[in-house]
Amino acid sequence: MFNFSFTNFYDFLTMDGHGVYVWTVYLVTFALIAVSFLIVRRKLNVFKRKLKNASE
Amino acid sequence: MLTSFIHRFSSPKSFVEVTALFFPYVMFLGFLCLALGWIWGLAFAPEDAIQGNSYRIIFLHVPASIMAQLIYFFMSICALMHLVWRVKLAAYLIKSAAPVGVLITFIALFSGSIWGIPTWGTWWQWDARITSTLILFIMYLGIITLHSSFSNAEKADRLMSILVVVGVVNIPIIKKSVDWWSTLHQPASISISDGASIDPSMLYPLTISILGMALTMIALGILVSKFYILTREKNKKWVQSYV
């Protein structure tokens, strides 16, 4: 079950011509999820800082 | 008795405090399962006999599609709680879950479109499954827009909840669209009643990816809801002391 499905790393990247579709989907999704976490985290920190400054 | 129980355990303050405790674990487990499921699916799962390697998008597309529907289902339960028991937190959770729904439904549509190019020869087709998922995406955007268009937040909460309850009719349509109509989209690979129609060597990484996507979206939802609750209740004493 854990045998590498490709003969080499180049085959893994190209995936018989399907690599461009597969990798695009995974990279875009990873970027969207990561950026979402970062944006919300940043907004939360800015909000906390503003509220702290206002109360001081 | 049920009403008092619900109100006691659904204060925004308790929600923020309790979820903050397990947020790092949910996020870590989510990322870990996603990484494991995706690496397994991309590198070690066998090639599909018909679709070749393009089928590997399934390890992302199916979890995203499931979450797109589950988040709306969660929102509809919250909407009922808000309309029936006037639970304030339920409305906050709807408003927080909607942007997460937009994100994951976009990912489901995007990954499906890209997958369609090598498999169907087209990135878009107005068939039942794809169109009903697009309607779900528009519903999420509509919910956010509706809430933002009112200056009275309580009124916005109520109207948003009504819209969510009305829109839940789209969820069984999405689910059953591949059975009710003749579509380009393939039938479900995993079904609660019929089990899995795919080989275990593909099923295991898919299941791990679904779990990972669910935990990741829960973690993102916790973060968004924390921000929204703190913003909405910023004039309350507990927020000042919490921050």
Side-chain angles (χ1 to χ4, degrees):
Chain A
M1 194 172 273
F2 285 102
N3 291 327
F4 190 50
S5 289
F6 302 88
T7 43
N8 54 49
F9 191 71
Y10 179 75
D11 279 356
F12 178 52
L13 287 180
T14 54
M15 293 191 175
D16 285 332
H18 290 157
V20 63
Y21 306 110
V22 176
W23 292 114
T24 301
V25 166
Y26 278 87
L27 288 176
V28 169
T29 300
F30 177 77
L32 282 174
I33 293 176
V35 166
S36 302
F37 269 97
L38 291 175
I39 288 175
V40 184
R41 194 142 210 139
R42 197 182 134 79
K43 279 174 119 178
L44 192 62
N45 288 339
V46 169
F47 171 78
K48 281 181 177 175
R49 212 177 309 127
K50 268 187 185 170
L51 205 66
K52 246 184 211 167
N53 291 342
S55 63
E56 279 168 9
Chain B
M1 193 179 158
L2 181 66
T3 311
S4 70
F5 174 83
I6 288 170
H7 280 282
R8 195 183 311 159
F9 290 98
S10 61
S11 87
K13 179 178 181 276
S14 320
F15 179 83
V16 169
E17 286 172 350
V18 171
T19 52
L21 290 177
F22 56 83
F23 167 76
Y25 305 105
V26 175
M27 191 171 76
F28 175 74
L29 262 179
F31 286 164
L32 186 72
C33 288
L34 265 190
L36 187 68
W38 285 359
I39 291 169
W40 190 345
L42 284 169
F44 299 102
E47 188 178 333
D48 184 73
I50 298 166
Q51 297 188 35
N53 284 310
S54 68
Y55 99 96
R56 294 182 196 278
I57 295 175
I58 199 174
F59 302 105
L60 189 155
H61 177 71
V62 168
S65 306
I66 290 174
M67 285 316 295
Q69 294 165 58
L70 276 184
I71 288 171
Y72 198 93
F73 185 67
F74 166 76
M75 283 166 58
S76 64
I77 292 170
C78 289
L80 280 177
M81 287 181 76
H82 181 66
L83 291 171
V84 176
W85 290 295
R86 296 260 178 256
V87 178
K88 204 165 50 170
L89 176 66
Y92 293 176
L93 292 182
I94 298 171
K95 183 68 180 28
S96 311
V100 183
V102 169
L103 171 75
I104 202 67
T105 312
F106 175 80
I107 290 172
L109 285 168
F110 171 74
S111 56
S113 291
I114 300 284
W115 193 1
I117 298 170
T119 313
W120 300 336
T122 178
W123 65 275
W124 189 263
Q125 187 75 35
W126 291 101
D127 91 335
R129 172 60 70 87
I130 305 170
T131 309
S132 52
T133 306
L134 179 67
I135 292 171
L136 179 67
F137 180 68
I138 296 167
M139 283 295 300
Y140 279 125
L141 289 176
I143 288 159
I144 296 169
T145 311
L146 176 81
H147 196 278
S148 314
S149 60
F150 284 90
S151 52
N152 182 336
E154 278 74 32
K155 192 178 175 187
D157 288 345
R158 248 190 332 275
L159 288 170
M160 175 183 69
S161 301
I162 293 169
L163 180 62
V164 170
V165 172
V166 171
V168 80
V169 72
N170 190 37
I171 298 301
I173 293 176
I174 298 174
K175 183 89 191 81
K176 285 289 180 189
S177 56
V178 285
D179 304 321
W180 289 343
W181 293 285
S182 168
T183 75
L184 259 183
H185 200 284
Q186 68 197 56
S189 304
I190 308 171
S191 155
I192 293 170
S193 53
D194 303 330
S197 60
I198 59 173
D199 191 77
S201 58
M202 299 169 180
L203 177 66
Y204 296 151
L206 181 59
T207 310
I208 295 170
S209 303
I210 293 170
L211 180 68
M213 190 62 92
L215 291 170
T216 305
M217 289 303 113
I218 290 171
L220 185 60
I222 289 173
L223 205 60
V224 177
S225 58
K226 183 176 181 179
F227 172 69
Y228 183 67
I229 290 169
L230 293 180
T231 317
R232 183 90 180 251
E233 304 227 320
K234 65 181 174 200
N235 296 325
K236 300 261 172 80
K237 232 181 209 166
W238 76 267
V239 175
Q240 312 279 344
S241 53
Y242 180 81
V243 169

